[in-house]
Each structure stands twice: as C-alpha cells, then as structure tokens.
Amino acid sequence: MVKNNVFRIVKTLVCTYITTLLMLLIMTLLFYKLQINNSKIMIGVYITYVLSNFIGGFIFGKIAGRKKYLFGMMVGAVYYLILLLISVIVMKEANIFTPDSLFALLACVGGGMLGGMIS
C-alpha cells in the first residue's frame, strides 16, 4: 500500500514538473518576444508554481479519491522541497526564511490544495 502510494506521488510529481517545464518555456518565449522586464518574471514564476501544483493536486486527488485537499497539499509540499533541494545543490546555500521562499512555498502548497479540492 505505501509502496503504491509512493509510486503514485512520484508519477504525479513527474507530471507536475513536466507542466512546469512547458509553462516556463512558453513564459520565456513570451517574455523574450514582448521584451518584458525582469521584475515581472517572478510573477510569471509564481503563476507557474500555482498552476503546475494545481494540476498535480488535481491528478493526485483523482487518484486518491479521499482527503483530496490533503494529498494536494502534500504534492505541493514535496514539489517545493525538491525545488529547495535543487537550489541547495546548485547554489550551495538555502535561505528558506526569505519572503520569496515563503511565498513560493505558499504558492506550491496552495495550488496543490486547490487542485485536490476541485478534483
């Protein structure tokens, strides 16, 4: 049972990261073509976090069938932890108590929860 749930979470996270990749590629093309300044890029990144985790929460909510919002929140939290781990590996530091990091956590968990609730 636990092994089956772990596989489902991994499968859902793969879908979520593929969605993130596609959205970031589209956003990059739009920002390049429209010549949008750097200050607006973070808004696009947060929107990407929310929408990607919404889709992940929705998918896992359909799979779980019960306590959907909790499973959606879990997908968002694991997604954020993986992002944090990648940041630590790449930048050799992590400050999780900055406003940007906390907002990213809320965007990921909130998006996953909403997706789970709607599924």
Side-chain angles (χ1 to χ4, degrees), residues 57-94:
F58 186 85
I59 291 169
F60 201 76
K62 288 287 188 187
I63 293 170
R66 58 181 173 74
K67 298 183 182 179
K68 298 175 182 185
Y69 71 96
L70 288 176
F71 286 116
M73 288 174 68
M74 182 182 60
V75 168
V78 172
Y79 177 96
Y80 176 78
L81 289 174
I82 292 171
L83 283 179
L84 188 64
L85 180 65
I86 291 170
S87 295
V88 168
I89 291 170
V90 170
M91 297 190 309
K92 308 287 189 235
E93 65 180 56

Side-chain angles (χ1 to χ4, degrees), residues 16-35:
T16 305
Y17 277 107
I18 289 171
T19 303
T20 301
L21 177 66
L22 293 174
M23 290 179 68
L24 288 175
L25 285 173
I26 291 168
M27 189 176 65
T28 301
L29 288 172
L30 285 174
F31 285 170
Y32 176 73
K33 289 290 184 182
L34 300 175
Q35 297 180 348

